[in-house]
């Protein structure tokens, strides 16, 4: 009997030793699942926080959309020294931006870039629209046009007109005037670009001057490359030649410099492209998408300075944006025929139909999304004898390809 009990006892103890690793495994599995759920909940909370707090606009309601799964995004950079409520930026911020008084700049859209993302995963293309292109300016949907003027002015003209209209009706609330005036400005600017390029615009993102500063800081600096050293007292640009990483204040000086550059605004357009290329590379290489702390810092920056169209699934685009770095975007500056004057202002004379054909060839329905980028050639800024000065009539060649982004690198610019 004693032997039988010992045998039975031994038979009972062995399964207990086998169950212990299984219990540990189950515990670890449950813990891993819990962590996964918490991470997913955190990501969802971050997205809800971003979607609920970022500036949202109805400027694209009812607009025509792209076909075949393609997406066209208009990036608008305002030369405004005010926040989203129309309040003056603090003096210490203006000093860092090297941007002067909050009354300077108005609401010109000094940066206009159409980003085309093919639905089949092909190479994305970005088209920079020089701010002084002389085009038909829209007044916004259902509003008479403004005739021909610099493309950058569409936003500010429509904003001022809407505020005057509302004031005449007795509206005195400054924030309401600012909010509704900006909505009118966005509609007019988007419609002007859409008519000029001849393509739908599916989404847009608007950024003010402070936004460049905060974005660069949130990324921990943006890498750029200069062919030669530069120094400009107007923008505050003071950089050596070569590759370097710029902080927020330096980044804004970099994208704003035009004095001291051979082709002024057209060279500044190349810098905007280089900044965008460097920022997308930094987004990916710095692990921003996988680091919750970095991602939240980026989200906080976006909430301060960015306005997008209502209903844009930003989480999906953030994931997609990982694939827009490392040479996967081909940059082109739209062609300028010659330089001229209009009512005492310098303008870029452009061929509307040539530009529409160029865009259609690159991203139109009859063109494969995998079509290679345009061959690098002389850009307007390389035109011999061209001068951005008053009355300059030097012709500029057709579409320019900015320096190629190759192998995960960044373009070097003047």
């Amino acid at each position: 009997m004693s032997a039988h009990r010992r045998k039975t006892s031994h038979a009972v103890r062995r399964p207990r030793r086998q169950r212990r690793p299984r219990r540990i495994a189950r515990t670890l599995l449950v813990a891993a699942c819990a962590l996964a759920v918490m991470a997913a909940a955190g990501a969802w909370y971050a997205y809800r926080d971003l979607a609920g707090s970022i500036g949202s606009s109805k400027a694209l309601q009812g607009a025509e959309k792209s076909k075949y799964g393609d997406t066209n995004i208009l990036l608008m950079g305002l030369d405004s020294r005010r926040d989203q409520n129309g309040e003056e930026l603090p003096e210490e911020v203006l000093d860092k931006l090297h941007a002067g008084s909050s009354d300077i700049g108005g609401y010109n859209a000094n940066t206009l870039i159409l980003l085309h993302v093919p639905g089949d995963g092909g190479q994305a293309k970005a088209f920079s629209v020089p701010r002084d292109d002389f085009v038909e300016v829209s007044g916004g949907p259902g509003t008479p046009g403004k005739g021909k003027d610099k493309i950058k002015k569409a936003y500010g003209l429509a904003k001022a007109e809407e505020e005057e209209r509302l004031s005449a009706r007795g509206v005195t609330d400054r924030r309401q005037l600012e909010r509704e005036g900006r909505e009118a400005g966005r509609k007019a600017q988007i419609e002007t670009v859409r008519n000029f390029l001849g393509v739908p615009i599916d989404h847009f993102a608007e950024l003010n001057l402070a936004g460049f500063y905060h974005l660069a800081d949130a990324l921990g600096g943006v890498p750029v490359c200069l062919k030669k050293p530069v120094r400009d007292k107007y923008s505050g640009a003071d950089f050596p030649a070569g590759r370097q990483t710029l902080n927020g204040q330096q980044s804004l000086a970099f994208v704003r410099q035009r004095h001291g550059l051979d082709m002024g605004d057209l060279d500044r357009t190349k810098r905007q492209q280089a900044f965008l290329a460097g920022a997308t590379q930094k987004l990916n290489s710095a692990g921003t998408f996988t680091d919750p702390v970095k991602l939240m810092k980026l989200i906080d920056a976006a909430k301060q300075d960015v306005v997008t169209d209502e209903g844009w699934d930003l989480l999906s685009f953030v994931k997609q944006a990982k694939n827009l770095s490392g040479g996967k975007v081909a940059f082109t500056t739209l062609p300028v025929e010659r330089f001229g004057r209009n009512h005492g202002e310098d303008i870029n004379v452009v061929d509307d139909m040539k530009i529409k054909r160029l865009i259609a060839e690159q991203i139109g329905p009859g063109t494969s999304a995998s079509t290679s980028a345009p061959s690098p050639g002389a850009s307007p800024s390389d035109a011999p004898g061209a001068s951005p000065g008053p009355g300059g009539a030097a012709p500029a060649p057709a579409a320019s390809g900015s320096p190629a982004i190759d192998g995960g690198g960044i373009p070097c610019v003047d």
Side-chain angles (χ1 to χ4, degrees):
M1 177 66 81
S2 175
H4 177 69
R5 280 199 302 268
R6 283 198 302 271
K7 184 175 180 181
T8 303
S9 176
H10 178 68
V12 170
R13 283 197 299 269
R14 285 189 64 187
R16 286 177 182 166
R17 287 198 299 269
Q18 290 172 348
R19 286 194 193 106
R20 188 177 179 186
R22 293 175 184 172
R23 283 200 301 270
I24 294 174
R26 280 199 301 271
T27 301
L28 291 174
L29 180 61
V30 170
C33 290
L35 287 173
V37 170
M38 289 173 64
W44 175 244
Y45 173 79
Y47 173 60
R48 286 286 299 274
D49 181 51
L50 174 63
S53 304
I54 197 170
S56 184
S57 166
K58 297 181 179 180
L60 281 175
Q61 274 192 351
E64 178 189 359
K65 299 296 182 182
S66 295
K67 300 176 182 178
Y68 312 109
D70 293 355
T71 304
N72 291 331
I73 301 165
L74 179 62
L75 306 176
M76 298 192 298
L78 295 186
D79 192 25
S80 170
R81 278 76 165 166
R82 295 177 181 269
D83 65 18
Q84 292 184 29
N85 296 315
E87 303 293 339
E88 295 182 0
L89 296 174
E91 285 297 327
E92 60 270 21
V93 173
L94 288 173
D95 288 343
K96 287 181 179 179
L97 300 183
H98 209 277
S101 165
S102 59
D103 294 325
I104 299 174
Y107 288 87
N108 288 330
N110 278 352
T111 301
L112 292 167
I113 299 176
L114 181 76
L115 177 64
H116 173 75
V117 184
D120 67 355
Q123 185 181 44
K125 297 173 183 177
F127 301 89
S128 289
V129 183
R131 66 175 187 165
D132 290 339
D133 283 3
F134 196 60
V135 306
E136 289 291 338
V137 173
S138 170
T143 304
K146 307 299 180 189
K148 297 199 76 169
D149 210 328
K150 294 181 180 183
I151 195 168
K152 69 178 183 181
K153 289 186 176 182
Y155 193 115
L157 290 172
K159 177 181 183 293
E161 186 175 272
E162 179 66 9
E163 289 178 358
E164 289 176 9
R165 187 183 69 81
L166 292 172
S167 295
R169 288 172 48 192
V171 177
T172 58
D173 183 84
R174 290 177 55 245
R175 289 203 170 191
Q176 180 183 351
L177 291 170
E178 182 73 15
R179 182 176 63 253
E180 297 192 32
R182 285 200 178 196
E183 276 292 85
R186 290 168 191 134
K187 291 175 182 178
Q189 190 67 66
I190 291 168
E191 186 170 282
T192 298
V193 174
R194 181 168 52 220
N195 292 341
F196 179 49
L197 302 185
V199 294
I201 293 175
D202 304 286
H203 300 294
F204 81 91
E206 172 190 306
L207 195 68
N208 62 13
L209 280 181
F212 284 97
Y213 173 84
H214 292 135
L215 173 62
D217 271 1
L219 291 173
V222 172
V224 301
C225 177
L226 284 167
K227 295 178 181 177
K228 56 188 178 184
V230 296
R231 194 168 194 174
D232 171 38
K233 66 177 182 179
Y234 297 99
S235 65
D238 186 1
F239 311 121
R243 293 177 180 269
Q244 53 208 289
T245 298
L246 306 184
N247 62 26
Q249 184 173 348
Q250 294 170 326
S251 293
L252 185 61
F254 176 79
V255 298
R256 291 185 65 237
Q257 185 185 359
R258 61 189 175 97
H259 296 281
L261 302 179
D262 291 343
M263 292 301 294
D265 273 346
L266 295 181
D267 278 343
R268 177 159 70 172
T269 297
K270 290 185 177 181
R271 288 177 170 227
Q272 294 166 357
Q273 296 170 355
F275 177 85
L276 184 60
T280 52
Q281 185 205 54
K282 189 64 179 286
L283 275 169
N284 200 14
S285 63
T288 306
F289 297 102
T290 55
D291 186 325
V293 174
K294 291 180 180 178
L295 186 58
M296 287 306 299
K297 189 174 182 181
L298 185 63
I299 287 172
D300 285 340
K303 289 191 293 187
Q304 289 184 75
D305 308 300
V306 179
V307 175
T308 67
D309 54 289
E310 189 175 72
W312 188 4
D313 187 349
L314 290 172
L315 185 61
S316 294
F317 182 71
V318 164
K319 293 176 180 177
Q320 185 182 44
K322 292 176 64 177
N323 300 319
L324 298 182
S325 60
K328 295 182 180 177
V329 181
F331 289 94
T332 298
T333 300
L334 295 180
V336 172
E337 298 302 308
R338 63 183 187 277
F339 303 102
R341 301 277 288 175
N342 180 64
H343 297 302
E345 294 184 329
D346 296 335
I347 60 170
N348 299 331
V349 179
V350 294
D351 184 332
D352 298 46
M353 293 311 299
K354 178 190 289 187
I355 287 173
K356 285 182 174 65
R357 285 195 300 270
L358 183 151
I359 296 290
E361 288 168 1
Q362 293 299 314
I363 68 176
T367 303
S368 168
S370 60
T371 300
S372 59
S375 301
S379 68
S381 58
D382 298 323
S387 170
S400 68
S402 68
I405 309 166
D406 199 12
I410 52 177
C412 285
V413 294
D414 291 326

